[in-house]
């Protein structure tokens, strides 16, 4: 046989080098916990599926916006938004859809929920759909507006540009296989969840709150780092909220210690600086106030509520009154049809949805930390504003590290008499233990005088320093412990995603 030509040898040598390059990138990904996107820039046509080939034209005409794959790769998510016929005087309604994905067949719609039910949404929202690292039983959807709409209704209703509405839905995931409790076998439908009495696959939680300037940063990589727990920065407090399906009433996720050692509130001559909180929505049906530790309310409060499916013949729970958002966020808990779940007040042997909330009040905490741990406390007069950023969350120890940026008034020296206080910037680093609710001051920054700076420039510099701190502390997670995140950001920028990528299984849907 004739020897191989030089061209054949060169071709084989290039193939060998390419394989070695891919192996090196894969090895590096295993060590760092992150795979290079260069591996997935080009995929063979057999794993690239055009969306129009697997979705009926009627769904595309209905306005479905496709977001991406779920973490398991089983489903593709889409949503629709409808504002009615009159854009100026109609509220928006949102629905999220689950589509079962198979590489060689059309998408099948198996589940859907209405998002942010019961809320009057007057502008198109930025949506972010997230999944926890290992909790595959539910999904969380964040929505917020930027109040930059030309809607007449919005301009009539909202005159305060310093507030921003945050909407949250937590919904159970559909079952991997048809569930007889969700949908009876006789039902001729591809939908796996429907009119059945199934709590595991059929609960939805909704909530809304307002944040104020400087608007808290949205950090899903930290806010969802602990499975089953969401950390919510409401501008006034940090709320650790857990949602779990419990067989009884004894299980807890957030609180395993005691709050007996929580310090008392600060002296009454240190008033709350931001005044009244934004008006909260009225209490939802089935809400009741949980216990506060101490209370007068200190800077930590804990509530735990259980909900079950409506019992046959029982009247639907009625709407309650006002909920103090220093103690808990006003969640509503419903089934897929929007019927309120029944609060559990006595013994209950069946499954319940358990909602725990551990609330850390920022202003009480700031005053207490300054009084106890700041060397410049004798010079301190008052603080005028603050901004809180999550620096790290350790799910193994249930510890949250936060950085509190402060604008404050303080005297230049304790020796000078009758001098006027100056404006300074400083920060507090605080560790919060979700097992006990106790806080510990880790560090207190020096006083830096603010000269000629606007509050916007101060907060911009502060957040850049927080990013630098986070990058120094960053430890890459393993490839399985990432927070899956899908957004409609491209839509708000007037463009569209090019592909929906499932990098774990090397599959693309081409839009």
């Amino acid at each position: 046989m004739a020897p191989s030509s030089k061209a054949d040898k060169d071709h084989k040598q290039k193939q060998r080098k390419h394989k070695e390059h891919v192996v090196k990138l894969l090895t590096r990904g295993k060590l760092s916990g992150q795979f290079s996107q260069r591996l997935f820039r080009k995929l063979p046509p057999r794993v690239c599926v055009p969306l129009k080939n697997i979705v009926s034209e009627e769904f595309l005409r209905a306005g479905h916006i496709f977001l991406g794959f779920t973490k398991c790769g089983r489903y593709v998510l889409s949503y629709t938004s409808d504002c009615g016929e009159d854009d100026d005087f109609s509220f928006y309604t949102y629905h999220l859809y689950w589509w079962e994905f198979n590489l060689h067949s059309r998408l099948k719609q198996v589940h859907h929920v209405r998002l942010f039910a019961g809320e009057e949404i007057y502008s198109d929202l930025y949506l972010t759909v997230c999944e926890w690292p290992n909790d595959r039983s539910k999904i969380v959807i964040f929505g917020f507006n930027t109040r930059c709409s030309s809607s007449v209704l919005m301009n009539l209703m909202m005159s305060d540009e310093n507030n921003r509405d945050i909407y949250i839905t937590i919904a159970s995931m559909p079952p991997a296989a048809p569930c007889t409790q969700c949908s009876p076998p006789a039902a001729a439908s591809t939908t796996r969840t429907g009119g059945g009495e199934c709590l595991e696959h059929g609960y939805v939680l909704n909530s809304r709150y307002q944040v104020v300037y400087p608007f808290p940063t949205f950090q899903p990589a930290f806010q969802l780092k602990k499975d089953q727990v969401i950390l919510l920065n409401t501008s006034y407090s940090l709320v650790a909220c857990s949602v779990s399906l419990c067989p009884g009433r004894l299980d807890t996720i957030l609180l395993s210690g005691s709050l007996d050692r929580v310090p008392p509130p600060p002296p009454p001559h240190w008033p709350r600086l931001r005044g009244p909180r934004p008006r909260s929505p009225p209490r939802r049906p089935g809400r009741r106030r949980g216990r506060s530790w101490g209370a007068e309310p200190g800077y930590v409060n804990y509530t735990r509520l259980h909900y079950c499916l409506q019992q046959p013949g029982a009247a639907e729970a009625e709407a309650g009154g006002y909920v103090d958002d220093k103690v808990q966020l006003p969640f509503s808990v419903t089934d897929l049809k929007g019927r309120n779940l029944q609060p559990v007040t006595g013994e209950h042997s069946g499954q319940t949805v358990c909602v725990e909330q551990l609330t850390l009040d920022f202003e009480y905490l700031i005053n207490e930390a300054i009084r106890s741990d700041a060397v410049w406390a004798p010079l301190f007069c008052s603080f005028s504003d603050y901004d809180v950023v999550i620096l790290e969350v350790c799910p193994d120890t249930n510890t949250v590290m936060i950085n509190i940026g402060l604008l404050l008034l303080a005297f230049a020296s304790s020796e000078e008499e009758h001098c006027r206080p100056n404006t300074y910037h400083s920060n507090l680093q605080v560790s919060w233990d979700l097992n006990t609710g106790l806080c510990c001051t880790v560090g207190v920054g020096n006083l830096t005088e603010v000269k000629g700076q606007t509050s916007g420039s101060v907060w911009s510099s502060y957040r850049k320093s927080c990013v630098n701190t986070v990058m120094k502390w960053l430890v890459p997670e393993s490839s399985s412990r990432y927070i899956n995140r899908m957004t409609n950001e491209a839509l708000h920028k007037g463009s569209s995603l090019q592909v929906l990528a499932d990098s774990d299984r090397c599959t693309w849907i081409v839009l």
Side-chain angles (χ1 to χ4, degrees), residues 31-78:
L31 294 175
S32 65
Q34 295 179 337
F35 289 98
S36 171
Q37 293 300 316
R38 288 182 293 171
L39 290 172
F40 309 108
R41 284 179 180 171
K42 292 183 179 180
L43 291 178
R46 62 185 175 82
V47 292
C48 294
V49 185
L51 180 65
K52 62 181 180 180
N53 291 354
I54 58 175
V55 178
S56 299
E57 184 69 23
E58 60 178 305
F59 292 110
L60 299 178
R61 288 198 301 265
H64 279 260
I65 307 298
F66 284 81
L67 297 170
F69 284 88
T70 58
K71 195 170 182 179
C72 64
R74 182 187 298 272
Y75 305 111
V76 176
L77 299 185
S78 72

Side-chain angles (χ1 to χ4, degrees), residues 343-365:
V344 177
T345 56
E347 294 297 328
H348 185 78
S349 58
Q351 285 188 327
T352 63
V353 176
C354 177
V355 182
E356 297 176 73
Q357 294 191 57
L358 190 64
T359 306
L360 176 65
D361 191 283
F362 289 145
E363 296 185 15
Y364 281 137
L365 173 63

Side-chain angles (χ1 to χ4, degrees), residues 25-296:
L25 289 176
L26 289 172
T27 304
R28 187 182 304 167
K30 288 181 179 179
L31 294 175
S32 65
Q34 295 179 337
F35 289 98
S36 171
Q37 293 300 316
R38 288 182 293 171
L39 290 172
F40 309 108
R41 284 179 180 171
K42 292 183 179 180
L43 291 178
R46 62 185 175 82
V47 292
C48 294
V49 185
L51 180 65
K52 62 181 180 180
N53 291 354
I54 58 175
V55 178
S56 299
E57 184 69 23
E58 60 178 305
F59 292 110
L60 299 178
R61 288 198 301 265
H64 279 260
I65 307 298
F66 284 81
L67 297 170
F69 284 88
T70 58
K71 195 170 182 179
C72 64
R74 182 187 298 272
Y75 305 111
V76 176
L77 299 185
S78 72
Y79 80 94
T80 59
S81 63
D82 181 17
C83 62
E85 298 180 358
D86 190 342
D87 291 349
D88 288 333
F89 294 96
S90 299
F91 294 108
Y92 284 76
T93 57
Y94 289 83
H95 289 84
L96 186 69
Y97 297 83
W98 280 254
W99 303 80
E100 187 176 57
F101 175 78
N102 289 303
L103 187 60
H104 302 292
S105 61
R106 300 177 72 85
L107 294 179
K108 295 180 180 179
Q109 187 185 127
V110 296
H111 187 57
H112 91 276
V113 297
R114 180 179 174 182
L115 304 179
F116 324 127
E119 302 294 348
E120 296 177 343
I121 303 173
Y122 41 83
S123 66
D124 203 8
L125 298 180
Y126 285 80
L127 296 181
T128 303
V129 182
C130 299
E131 294 179 89
W132 282 269
N134 291 315
D135 181 12
R136 306 293 176 86
S137 65
K138 51 188 171 290
I139 198 168
V140 58
I141 302 94
F142 293 85
F144 71 91
N145 59 46
T146 56
R147 301 184 179 275
C148 56
S149 171
S150 59
S151 167
V152 174
L153 178 62
M154 179 178 173
N155 292 332
L156 287 173
M157 294 183 62
M158 306 307 301
S159 59
D160 188 356
E161 294 293 328
N162 291 322
N163 293 338
R164 178 176 292 171
D165 292 318
I166 307 294
Y167 302 90
I168 298 172
T169 290
I170 302 172
S172 57
M173 291 281 280
C179 174
T180 55
Q181 291 183 324
C182 293
S183 299
S189 173
T190 60
T191 302
R192 290 183 183 159
T193 49
E197 300 297 323
C198 179
L199 187 59
E200 181 178 2
H201 306 120
Y203 68 86
V204 182
L205 284 80
N206 291 293
S207 184
R208 177 180 73 88
Y209 60 91
Q210 287 185 339
V211 294
V212 298
Y213 182 84
F215 304 116
T217 56
F218 180 57
Q219 303 171 271
F222 295 135
Q223 290 174 245
L224 296 167
K225 195 170 184 179
K226 178 175 174 57
D227 286 323
Q228 303 189 79
V229 174
I230 315 170
L231 292 171
L232 302 173
N233 186 340
T234 70
S235 288
Y236 299 89
S237 59
L238 185 61
V239 181
C241 178
S242 75
V243 182
S244 59
L245 198 66
C246 300
R249 301 193 62 195
L250 300 178
D251 298 333
T252 62
I253 294 175
L254 287 176
L255 202 61
S256 60
S258 173
L259 292 178
D260 294 340
R261 293 180 291 151
V262 171
H269 64 273
W270 283 351
R272 305 191 65 84
L273 75 99
R274 283 182 173 168
R277 298 169 185 245
R279 181 173 58 86
S280 298
R283 266 178 63 177
R284 301 292 183 180
R287 299 295 296 172
R288 60 185 180 84
R289 180 167 178 164
R291 60 187 175 125
S292 296
W293 294 87
E296 298 296 329

